[in-house]
C-alpha cells in the first residue's frame, strides 16, 4: 500500500504491516504489533494491514464508522492485491482474507474472527472447475458459519449440530475426513440456516463481506465474554480492538498442508525445547478449538524434516528477539510455511519461574528482569498443595497434563452449573467435550477442568494455565453428555453429575473420589530454608525469592497469635509479627471471659484470668520470635463475636421461663447480653472504645507483656515487644491510652528494678484517624494501616456482609471491577493512606509505617504500598513468600520507572 500523505497526517485508521512494530501494541493490538515485528524481521508473514484501535474506539463511541475508514481500507486492499498477485472476488485468482480481532492485551478467543472473507459462489465454482472442490467447499462452509455467527448473531450451535450430524451420517471420524460432496452439502445446509435465521443470504459482494466483518469485530469488544474476561484480568474497557486483515493461507489444502500452534519452550513445565501441536489438512481454529486431537510437533519433524527445521529456525529467531517464551501460530500451505501470529506465550506459574531463571542462566536477561517476569499471584498458586502419593491407586482416566495442580470437586458438565454450584459454596470439577470461550465463567468457577478432546494448546489448556486452574485435556475415552448430565468412560464406568472426582493436572490423571492432599514442594522447600533443589521450578522460586529479598524496600511481617503460627511465619521468612490480635487468644472456650469482663459482678476475676493467660501466651510468642519485633495490639473484640446471640438467648430464656426452669444465672446472662447488644457491632464498642470504657483491660494486657518481657530478658532472651492501639479516631483517645500504658510499663519495670521502653503505635483504620494523622503522629511511634476497617468505614460497607449481599451484583453491573476488601481501592482508601502517611511523616520524621489488613498480603495491592513508601507489610504466614516476592518485584519496577523518568 502506498502511504498517502493525507492518511498518515490524519488519524491513523489503517496501517500496513511494515509500517508498524512491536512497540505499537496500543494502536495495532498485540497481534498486529507481533505481525508487524515479524515482517520487519523477514519472517514469512502473509501480507496484510491493520485497522487500528483508534478506528475501533471511534466506532465504539457511537459515531459510526470514522470518516475516511473505508477509503483507507479500499486503498489497503488494492495494495494487498498487488503484493499477493491475487484479486478480491476474482474467480480466476481469488484473494481471500482473514479478519481477526487483536487488542492491546491478549484476550484469547474472547472476541471474534471471520475467515475466508472474499469467498463467493463464483469463486467457489471456479475453484471446483480447477479441481479444488474439497478446498472450495470447506472454505465456503467456514465463511458461512463464521459470518453467520459473528456478523449476524446466528446461534453457533446450530452449525455445530449439523457438522456433527454429517460426520455421523458419513462415518467420518474427523472433519478432515469429510469429502467434497459432503462439504458442499454442508455449505448448502449452513446457508439455509443462515437464511432462515436472518432473512438474508451471504453477500456476494466481497467488499460488503469485509466491511461488515470489520464492524462485527469492533462490536465483539463489547461481547459478554470479552467484558467478563476484561473484568477478571483488570483490562480497561475503553481500549478497543484492532482488526487484522491478512491474506488467507490455507492449511486445509491437502495432506502437505496443515496448521499448528507452538511454543519456543514447554509452557507447562518451562523445559527448554520447541513444543507444540500440528494438525494436517486443517485451519488454525481446528487446533485451538480442540475439535480434533492434534499430533505432536515432533511428528511433523518426521514427516517434513526441512519444514520442521525452517520452523525451528524462526522460533529461535523469535525467542532471541523477544528474549522470552513466544507462542506462535503457523500454517503450511502445500509445503510452504507461513507464520501467522506471535506473542509472548502464556505459561503455567511453574513454567514462568523456570523460564525466567533459565533465561538468566543462558545470559539472555538479568535477575532483575527475571523478577519482573513472575508475580506474587503465580507464586501463590505454586504454594498450593499436591496430592499425597498413594501406592496402588489407579486413575479412572488419563489425559494430557495441561495445567498443573491438585484439586477435587463435584463433577458438573456445563459452565452455568459450575458457576451456580460454586456460588453455593461447593467445589466443582468442570467436564466438557471441549471448551469454548463461552465457558470462561465455568473455568473461572471450577477447581479443575477436564475435557475429552483437545491438546495442550486447546482453549481449555491455555485459559486454565493462565488462571492457574488444574486442567487435564484429551482424556482418553471420556464421553461427556451435557444434556444427560452424565459422562462415561471405557468399561462402562458412568459418572453422573455431582459425583466427586480428583484431578491431577501435573500428571494428567483423573481419580474417583476425594484424594488426600499434601503441601506443595515449593512451600516445603521455602519453609525448610533450603537454598538448592534438584527440582527446576523449586530452584527457580528460591533463586527469585532470594533476589527479591535483596531488592525489596518493604519489610515483611506476620499476622500471628500462637507460637506455632509464629514459627511457621519465621520459616517462611517473616521479619517479625506486625499484628498480634489479642482477642484471638480469647476464642473458643475462652470466649466467656469477654462476657464475664463486661458483667459487673465478675469483672475482677475475668481480668485476672485474662492477665494470667496473656502472660503465658505472650511469653511463648516472644520466645518464638526471639530477636524480632512483636507488635501486640490491645484487645479489639467485636462484641457480637464474643457475646451470646441475643435472639437465641431470649428464646432459651422464654422456654425456660415457660417450663419454670429460668434461674438467676440465665437471667443475668440475658440482661448482660441485652445491655451490650449493638445494632451496628462493627461500628460499636471495639478497640480503643472498649479500652476507654474498661481501662483495666489496658492494665492487665500491658502488665502481662511487660512481665513476660522482663522475665525473658532476665533469662538472656532478646525479645522485642511493641504495643499498638486499635480503632483510634481521635488523638485524645490515643493520649489517654498511651498515658495509662506508659504508667503501667514504668510501674512494673520499677517493681523489677529496671527500666523499659516499648514503642507504642496506632492503628490507622478509620477515616478520621487518617485525616488527623499529623496530630496522631505526635503521640505514636508508628502507624499500622488497618485497611480492613479502613475499607469498611471509607465505603460505609460492612466487611462481614457486603460480599454476600451485593458486591457480586456490583461487579456484574460493572460498578466495581474488584472486591475492595481483597484488592485495595487506591482511589478512595488509598488516598487516605497516602494522606496519613504524608501528614504523619511530616509531623514526625522517621515515623514507622506499616499495613496489616488483608490487602497487605494481596499481590495486586502491594505495588501501591511500595509506591507509598511504607516500611513493612504484615500478612498471614502462608502469604509471606508471596509478599516477599511481590515486594521485590515492585521495587525493581519502581527503580525502572525512576530511571526512565530521569532520562
Ligand atoms: C484491619 O482492620 O485492617 C485490621 C488489621 O484489624 P482487624 O482485621 O482485626 O479489624
Ligand atoms: Mg481493624
Amino acid at each position: 500500500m502506498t502511504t498517502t500523505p493525507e492518511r498518515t497526517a490524519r488519524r491513523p485508521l489503517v496501517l500496513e504491516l511494515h509500517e508498524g512494530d512491536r512497540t505499537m501494541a496500543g494502536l495495532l493490538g498485540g497481534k498486529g504489533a507481533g505481525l508487524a515485528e515479524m515482517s520487519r524481521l523477514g519472517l514469512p508473514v502473509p501480507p496484510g494491514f491493520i485497522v487500528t484501535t483508534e478506528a475501533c474506539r471511534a466506532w465504539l463511541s457511537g459515531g459510526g464508522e470514522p470518516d475516511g475508514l473505508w477509503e483507507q481500507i479500499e486503498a489497503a486492499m488494492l495494495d494487498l492485491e498487488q503484493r499477493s498477485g491475487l484479486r478480491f472476488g476474482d474467480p480466476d485468482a481469488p484473494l481471500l482474507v482473514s479478519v481477526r480481532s487483536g487488542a492491546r492485551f491478549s484476550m484469547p478467543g474472547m472476541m471474534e474472527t471471520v475467515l475466508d472473507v472474499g469467498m463467493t459462489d463464483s469463486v467457489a465454482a471456479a475453484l471446483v472447475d480447477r479441481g479444488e472442490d474439497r478446498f472450495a467447499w470447506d472454505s465456503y462452509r467456514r465463511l458461512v458459519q463464521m459470518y453467520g455467527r459473528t456478523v449476524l448473531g446466528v446461534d453457533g450451535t446450530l452449525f455445530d449440530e449439523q457438522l456433527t450430524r454429517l460426520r455421523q451420517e458419513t462415518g467420518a471420524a474427523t472433519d478432515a475426513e469429510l469429502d467434497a460432496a459432503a462439504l458442499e452439502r454442508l455449505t448448502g445446509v449452513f446457508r439455509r440456516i443462515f437464511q432462515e435465521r436472518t432473512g438474508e443470504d451471504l453477500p456476494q459482494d466481497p467488499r460488503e463481506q469485509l466491511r461488515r466483518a470489520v464492524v462485527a469485530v469492533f462490536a465483539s469488544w463489547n461481547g459478554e465474554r470479552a467484558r467478563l474476561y476484561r473484568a477478571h484480568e483488570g483490562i480497561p474497557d475503553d481500549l478497543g480492538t484492532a482488526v487484522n486483515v491478512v491474506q488467507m493461507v490455507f492449511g486445509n489444502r491437502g495432506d502437505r498442508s496443515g496448521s499448528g500452534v507452538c511454543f519456543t519452550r514447554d509452557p507447562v513445565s518451562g523445559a527448554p525445547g520447541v513444543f507444540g501441536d500440528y494438525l494436517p489438512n486443517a485451519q488454525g481454529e481446528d487446533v485451538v478449538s480442540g475439535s480434533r486431537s492434534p499430533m505432536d510437533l515432533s511428528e511433523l519433524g518426521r514427516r517434513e524434516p526441512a519444514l520442521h527445521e525452517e520452523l525451528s529456525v524462526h522460533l529461535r529467531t523469535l525467542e532471541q528477539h523477544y528474549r522470552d517464551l513466544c507462542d506462535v501460530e503457523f500454517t503450511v500451505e502445500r509445503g510452504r510455511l507461513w507464520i501467522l501470529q506471535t506473542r509472548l506465550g502464556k505459561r503455567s506459574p511453574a513454567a514462568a519461574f523456570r523460564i525466567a531463571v533459565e533465561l538468566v542462566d543462558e545470559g539472555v536477561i538479568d535477575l532483575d528482569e527475571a523478577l519482573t517476569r513472575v508475580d506474587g499471584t503465580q507464586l501463590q498458586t505454586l504454594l498450593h498443595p499436591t496430592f499425597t502419593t498413594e501406592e496402588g491407586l489407579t486413575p479412572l482416566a488419563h489425559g494430557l497434563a495441561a495445567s498443573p495442580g491438585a484439586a477435587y470437586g463435584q463433577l458438573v458438565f456445563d459452565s452455568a452449573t459450575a458457576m451456580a454450584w460454586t456460588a453455593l459454596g461447593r467445589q466443582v470439577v468442570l467436564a466438557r467435550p471441549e471448551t469454548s470461550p463461552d465457558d470462561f465463567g465455568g473455568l473461572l468457577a471450577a477447581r479443575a477442568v477436564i475435557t475429552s478432546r483437545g491438546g495442550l494448546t486447546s482453549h481449555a489448556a491455555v485459559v486454565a494455565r493462565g488462571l492457574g486452574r488444574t486442567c487435564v485435556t484429551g482424556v482418553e475415552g471420556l464421553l461427556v453428555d451435557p444434556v444427560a448430565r452424565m459422562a462415561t468412560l471405557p468399561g462402562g464406568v458412568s459418572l453422573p453429575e455431582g459425583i466427586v472426582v480428583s484431578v491431577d493436572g501435573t500428571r494428567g490423571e483423573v481419580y474417583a473420589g476425594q484424594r488426600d492432599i499434601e503441601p506443595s514442594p515449593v512451600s516445603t522447600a521455602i519453609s525448610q530454608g533450603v537454598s538448592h533443589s534438584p527440582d527446576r521450578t523449586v530452584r527457580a522460586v528460591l533463586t527469585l525469592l532470594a533476589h527479591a529479598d535483596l531488592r525489596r524496600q518493604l519489610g515483611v511481617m506476620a499476622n500471628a497469635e500462637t507460637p506455632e503460627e509464629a514459627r511457621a511465619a519465621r520459616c517462611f521468612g517473616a521479619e517479625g509479627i506486625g499484628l498480634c490480635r489479642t482477642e484471638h487468644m480469647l476464642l473458643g472456650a475462652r470466649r466467656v471471659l469477654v462476657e464475664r469482663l463486661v458483667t459487673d459482678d465478675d469483672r475482677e476475676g475475668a481480668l485476672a484470668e485474662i492477665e494470667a493467660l496473656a502472660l503465658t501466651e505472650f511469653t511463648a510468642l516472644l520466645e518464638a520470635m526471639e530477636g524480632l519485633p512483636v507488635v501486640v495490639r490491645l484487645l479489639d473484640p467485636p462484641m457480637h463475636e464474643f457475646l451470646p446471640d441475643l435472639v437465641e438467648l431470649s428464646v432459651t430464656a422464654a422456654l425456660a421461663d415457660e417450663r419454670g426452669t429460668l434461674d438467676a444465672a440465665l437471667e443475668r446472662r440475658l440482661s448482660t447480653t441485652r445491655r451490650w447488644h449493638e445494632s451496628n457491632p462493627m461500628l460499636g464498642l471495639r478497640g480503643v472504645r472498649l479500652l476507654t470504657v474498661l481501662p483495666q483491660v489496658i492494665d492487665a494486657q500491658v502488665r502481662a507483656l511487660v512481665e513476660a518481657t522482663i522475665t525473658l530478658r532476665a533469662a538472656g532472651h532478646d525479645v522485642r515487644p511493641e504495643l499498638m492501639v486499635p480503632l483510634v479516631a481521635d488523638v485524645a483517645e490515643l493520649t489517654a491510652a498511651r498515658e495509662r500504658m506508659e504508667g503501667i510499663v514504668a510501674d512494673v519495670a520499677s517493681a523489677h528494678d529496671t527500666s523499659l521502653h516499648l514503642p507504642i503505635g496506632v492503628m490507622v483504620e478509620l477515616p478520621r484517624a487518617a485525616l488527623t494523622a499529623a496530630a496522631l503522629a505526635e503521640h505514636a511511634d508508628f502507624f499500622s494501616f488497618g485497611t480492613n476497617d479502613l475499607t469498611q468505614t471509607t465505603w460505609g460497607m460492612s466487611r462481614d456482609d457486603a460480599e454476600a449481599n451485593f458486591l457480586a451484583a456490583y461487579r456484574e453491573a460493572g460498578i466495581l471491577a474488584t472486591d475492595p476488601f481483597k484488592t485495595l481501592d487506591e482511589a478512595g482508601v488509598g488516598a487516605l493512606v497516602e494522606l496519613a502517611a504524608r501528614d504523619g511523616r511530616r509531623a514526625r520524621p522517621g515515623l514507622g509505617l506499616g499495613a496489616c489488613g488483608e490487602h497487605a498480603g494481596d499481590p495486586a495491592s502491594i505495588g501501591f504500598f511500595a509506591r507509598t513508601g511504607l516500611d513493612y507489610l504484615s500478612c498471614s504466614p502462608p502469604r509471606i513468600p508471596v509478599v516477599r516476592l511481590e515486594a521485590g518485584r515492585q521495587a525493581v519496577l519502581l527503580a525502572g520507572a525512576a530511571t526512565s523518568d530521569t532520562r
Side-chain angles (χ1 to χ4, degrees):
M1 179 172 57
T2 46
T3 314
T4 59
E6 298 82 41
R7 208 182 71 231
T8 39
R10 283 190 292 153
R11 291 182 302 167
L13 300 176
V14 175
L15 286 185
E16 206 190 332
L17 292 185
H18 75 257
E19 294 176 301
D21 64 42
R22 63 190 286 197
T23 63
M24 295 168 75
L27 187 66
L28 305 182
K31 187 178 293 176
L35 280 170
E37 191 75 12
M38 289 196 294
S39 322
R40 279 175 179 254
L41 287 172
L43 266 57
V45 175
F49 59 88
I50 303 159
V51 181
T52 63
T53 54
E54 173 75 31
C56 178
R57 282 193 295 274
W59 186 87
L60 288 170
S61 68
E65 297 147 10
D67 283 349
L69 176 64
W70 297 112
E71 290 77 359
Q72 292 186 37
I73 290 181
E74 290 276 357
M77 279 306 290
L78 276 178
D79 189 75
L80 181 46
E81 287 181 338
Q82 269 165 23
R83 281 175 187 270
S84 62
L86 303 169
R87 279 183 311 279
F88 207 34
D90 179 352
D92 295 330
L95 169 67
L96 303 188
V97 293
S98 61
V99 180
R100 295 176 192 268
S101 57
R104 172 183 198 135
F105 301 106
S106 164
M107 295 169 56
M110 300 298 152
M111 289 182 291
E112 300 295 356
T113 285
V114 187
L115 300 181
D116 300 313
V117 170
M119 181 59 102
T120 59
D121 289 345
S122 51
V123 169
L127 283 167
V128 171
D129 284 348
R130 289 203 296 274
E132 291 214 69
D133 49 352
R134 188 186 183 284
F135 165 65
W137 296 120
D138 194 27
S139 302
Y140 210 176
R141 67 96 187 167
R142 286 175 195 264
L143 173 64
V144 179
Q145 186 174 359
M146 283 195 228
Y147 191 94
R149 202 172 63 80
T150 302
V151 179
L152 295 167
V154 179
D155 178 359
T157 57
L158 296 173
F159 298 121
D160 297 340
E161 279 164 12
Q162 293 300 329
L163 188 57
T164 310
R165 178 181 295 178
L166 184 68
R167 273 201 309 260
Q168 281 161 355
E169 279 170 13
T170 56
T174 65
D175 300 350
E177 289 173 25
L178 294 169
D179 63 15
L183 289 166
E184 182 180 3
R185 208 151 31 96
L186 188 66
T187 309
V189 173
F190 278 8
R191 275 177 91 166
R192 268 197 303 285
I193 294 176
F194 187 118
Q195 284 159 354
E196 278 162 23
R197 298 284 148 167
T198 66
E200 51 180 297
D201 197 358
L202 180 78
Q204 291 298 309
D205 173 2
R207 282 178 166 69
E208 187 186 344
Q209 290 178 6
L210 175 62
R211 189 172 184 145
R212 293 178 70 180
V214 168
V215 169
V217 173
F218 283 164
S220 70
W221 173 259
N222 276 335
E224 194 187 335
R225 60 177 193 262
R227 279 189 286 118
L228 193 63
Y229 186 84
R230 286 200 296 274
H232 180 263
E233 298 287 312
I235 298 175
D237 274 327
D238 56 2
L239 299 178
T241 180
V243 186
N244 300 280
V245 180
V246 175
Q247 181 197 342
M248 285 290 301
V249 288
F250 298 96
N252 56 340
R253 219 160 186 176
D255 287 342
R256 291 207 60 218
S257 303
S259 290
V261 179
C262 58
F263 294 84
T264 53
R265 296 177 191 234
D266 183 338
V268 181
S269 69
V274 172
F275 174 97
D277 294 331
Y278 180 72
L279 257 185
N281 202 6
Q283 286 196 343
E285 79 271 14
D286 302 330
V287 188
V288 180
S289 75
S291 54
R292 278 162 58 195
S293 290
M295 61 171 71
D296 193 276
L297 207 57
S298 51
E299 179 62 27
L300 176 67
R302 275 188 287 281
R303 292 183 179 203
E304 300 262 9
L307 225 147
H308 187 266
E309 178 51 28
E310 188 191 347
L311 177 65
S312 305
V313 169
H314 295 323
L315 293 179
R316 271 198 297 279
T317 304
L318 284 171
E319 193 179 273
Q320 273 161 17
H321 185 68
Y322 281 96
R323 302 183 313 129
D324 200 357
L325 168 75
C326 294
D327 153 345
V328 171
E329 289 183 17
F330 66 95
T331 279
V332 180
E333 183 177 352
R334 293 168 164 161
R336 178 160 180 199
L337 176 67
W338 294 96
I339 309 285
L340 301 188
Q341 179 175 322
T342 191
R343 58 188 170 196
L344 296 185
K346 284 204 187 288
R347 59 208 81 181
S348 72
F353 277 88
R354 179 167 175 185
I355 292 170
V357 168
E358 291 186 358
L359 286 172
V360 175
D361 296 343
E362 293 162 25
V364 178
I365 57 174
D366 64 14
L367 271 170
D368 272 356
E369 187 163 2
L371 191 51
T372 64
R373 300 268 180 98
V374 295
D375 63 37
T377 308
Q378 289 170 328
L379 179 56
Q380 206 157 22
T381 64
L382 290 180
L383 300 173
H384 286 167
T386 53
F387 287 125
T388 312
T389 319
E390 286 164 56
E391 294 302 321
L393 205 67
T394 323
L396 271 181
H398 295 270
L400 302 172
S403 180
Y408 57 82
Q410 290 179 277
L411 208 54
V412 295
F413 302 110
D414 61 83
S415 284
T417 312
M419 290 189 281
W421 286 21
T422 303
L424 293 174
R426 301 185 190 172
Q427 290 190 22
V428 303
V429 170
L430 176 64
R432 300 282 295 153
E434 66 208 23
T435 64
S436 78
D438 289 334
D439 288 312
F440 183 63
L443 285 160
L444 210 53
R447 293 294 171 113
V449 183
I450 55 178
T451 66
S452 38
R453 293 199 288 266
L456 289 170
T457 50
S458 64
H459 175 265
V462 171
V463 178
R465 274 202 294 277
L467 294 173
R469 293 287 179 282
T470 299
C471 179
V472 179
T473 54
V475 176
E476 286 163 22
L478 176 74
L479 285 176
V480 178
D481 183 345
V483 178
R485 295 177 180 273
M486 174 72 79
T488 49
L489 283 166
V493 180
S494 49
L495 302 168
E497 184 176 81
I499 197 168
V500 174
V501 294
S502 298
V503 182
D504 187 333
T506 316
R507 292 159 162 277
E509 290 168 349
V510 183
Y511 290 83
Q514 179 178 330
R515 285 188 59 188
D516 286 343
I517 281 180
E518 67 184 343
S520 84
V522 173
S523 155
T524 308
I526 296 172
S527 61
Q528 288 174 351
V530 298
S531 49
H532 296 288
S533 166
D535 177 315
R536 298 296 189 138
T537 301
V538 173
R539 169 185 165 264
V541 172
L542 296 175
T543 304
L544 290 181
L545 256 184
H547 190 64
D549 286 341
L550 285 179
R551 285 283 179 261
R552 70 186 156 86
Q553 306 288 319
L554 283 160
V556 183
M557 317 259 280
N559 294 352
E561 289 80 43
T562 66
E564 296 74 38
E565 283 173 333
R567 277 189 283 274
R570 244 191 135 130
C571 291
F572 279 135
E575 293 155 329
I577 289 181
L579 173 64
C580 164
R581 292 178 163 105
T582 52
E583 63 282 1
H584 283 191
M585 294 175 169
L586 300 176
L587 290 174
R590 298 169 177 175
R591 260 167 112 117
V592 68
L593 280 174
V594 176
E595 202 179 329
R596 283 172 52 204
L597 187 66
V598 294
T599 312
D600 293 344
D601 54 359
D602 197 21
R603 182 162 307 135
E604 292 312 315
L607 279 164
E609 277 186 51
I610 288 174
E611 186 171 332
L613 250 173
L615 181 62
T616 316
E617 305 252 333
F618 291 157
T619 305
L621 195 64
L622 289 170
E623 240 186 315
M625 286 314 259
E626 171 137 21
L628 297 174
V630 173
V631 179
V632 171
R633 180 177 76 181
L634 296 180
L635 204 61
D636 181 16
M639 278 300 160
H640 66 307
E641 286 178 20
F642 287 85
L643 295 182
D645 183 90
L646 181 59
V647 176
E648 264 175 37
L649 201 63
S650 304
V651 171
T652 311
L655 286 175
D657 197 19
E658 256 175 39
R659 292 192 201 109
T661 55
L662 181 63
D663 59 13
L666 186 52
E667 269 184 316
R668 200 169 48 248
R669 229 181 149 207
L670 181 61
S671 88
T672 305
T673 307
R674 217 174 253 142
R675 155 79 182 79
W676 295 103
H677 176 75
E678 294 174 304
S679 308
N680 283 313
M682 293 309 276
L683 300 179
L685 185 69
R686 298 174 50 200
V688 74
R689 299 171 199 160
L690 178 75
L691 304 171
T692 306
V693 173
L694 294 174
Q696 307 92 307
V697 174
I698 301 185
D699 306 351
Q701 290 199 295
V702 175
R703 223 173 7 242
L705 187 63
V706 176
E707 289 285 358
T709 305
I710 290 173
T711 310
L712 285 165
R713 284 190 180 166
H717 294 286
D718 170 17
V719 293
R720 306 180 185 185
E722 305 186 12
L723 280 159
M724 184 156 75
V725 188
L727 220 74
V728 167
D730 188 88
V731 66
E733 293 170 319
L734 176 63
T735 49
R738 183 167 187 131
E739 198 178 313
R740 192 146 184 141
M741 289 153 93
E742 284 176 337
I744 298 285
V745 174
D747 286 354
V748 180
S750 84
H752 284 273
D753 272 343
T754 181
S755 66
L756 192 68
H757 167 73
L758 297 190
I760 295 178
V762 62
M763 287 202 63
V764 175
E765 50 184 344
L766 294 174
R768 197 177 188 286
L771 294 167
T772 57
L776 292 180
E778 303 274 340
H779 303 277
D781 298 306
F782 61 92
F783 285 177
S784 181
F785 290 100
T787 48
N788 302 333
D789 276 311
L790 195 56
T791 301
Q792 164 167 263
T793 48
T794 301
W795 282 85
M797 279 179 186
S798 160
R799 60 194 261 193
D800 293 339
D801 308 314
E803 182 60 48
N805 288 347
F806 57 84
L807 280 187
Y810 264 48
R811 280 194 295 272
E812 246 163 57
I815 298 170
L816 280 178
T818 48
D819 178 347
F821 290 102
K822 182 169 170 282
T823 295
L824 193 89
D825 149 42
E826 291 185 20
V829 179
L832 285 170
V833 172
E834 277 168 349
L835 175 92
R838 189 197 63 203
D839 289 359
R841 280 218 170 122
R842 264 190 205 150
R844 180 190 278 240
L847 174 79
L849 292 177
C852 62
E854 284 308 299
H855 308 87
D858 169 48
S861 307
I862 291 169
F864 168 80
F865 293 122
R867 287 194 301 279
T868 312
L870 264 53
D871 299 307
Y872 70 91
L873 297 175
S874 189
C875 61
S876 64
R879 292 170 108 179
I880 283 171
V882 171
V883 178
R884 285 167 54 201
L885 184 95
E886 188 63 38
R889 185 174 97 95
Q890 292 296 337
V892 170
L893 292 174
L894 271 177
T899 332
S900 56
D901 279 355
T902 53
R903 267 197 212 123

